[in-house]
Amino acid sequence: MPAPDSRPPYPVTPDGRYFVVRGRLWRRTDPHLPADQRQRLTRELMAARRAVQSALRAGDPEAERAARARVDAAKIALGERGPPWWTDGAPDYNRRMASKTPYAGWYADQMRSAGH
């Protein structure tokens, strides 16, 4: 985990709902999850991702489907997929290009300040 005063590795929207990778918004983990639950779910997510890789290497489509289902379940539990974790009724822009959302101006400013 980065030091509290360091910059996050990816830009985070001003409302804290998304981070941006290669111009695409990705929903962040629900900040209301208790730390121990977030840690447990993150460990499960990492184990499930390893299981996907293992199944791919083994050429086992059934194991791959099961592992991908575990990934999806962990991401839903973390709030990164499924219903949004915020309650103000704002729409979800998960996986959308930032430039095509209400975050477009903010993202353009981020790119300008980063020299892009």
Side-chain angles (χ1 to χ4, degrees):
M1 183 152 224
D5 60 335
S6 69
R7 290 185 61 183
Y10 300 105
V12 174
T13 59
D15 56 16
R17 293 176 179 167
Y18 306 95
F19 62 95
V20 184
V21 178
R22 292 188 292 258
R24 191 171 301 277
L25 296 170
W26 295 95
R27 197 185 314 159
R28 295 182 75 201
T29 299
D30 181 349
H32 304 104
L33 287 176
D36 60 331
Q37 183 179 4
R38 184 177 59 248
Q39 280 184 322
R40 181 181 56 75
L41 291 167
T42 300
R43 282 193 303 272
E44 167 57 19
L45 175 60
M46 296 301 107
R49 286 178 168 165
R50 286 189 300 274
V52 168
Q53 291 305 309
S54 178
L56 287 169
R57 280 191 303 275
D60 185 341
E62 188 175 317
E64 181 188 349
R65 276 191 295 279
R68 288 189 186 280
R70 284 176 56 201
V71 168
D72 192 53
K75 290 184 84 55
I76 289 169
L78 284 164
E80 296 173 11
R81 291 185 186 160
W85 43 259
W86 51 90
T87 59
D88 64 2
D92 185 12
Y93 296 104
N94 195 32
R95 302 181 185 183
R96 300 232 170 76
M97 296 305 291
S99 62
K100 299 187 184 308
T101 69
Y103 297 100
W106 166 83
Y107 184 63
D109 290 344
Q110 296 295 305
M111 293 298 94
R112 275 192 294 278
S113 69
H116 295 282

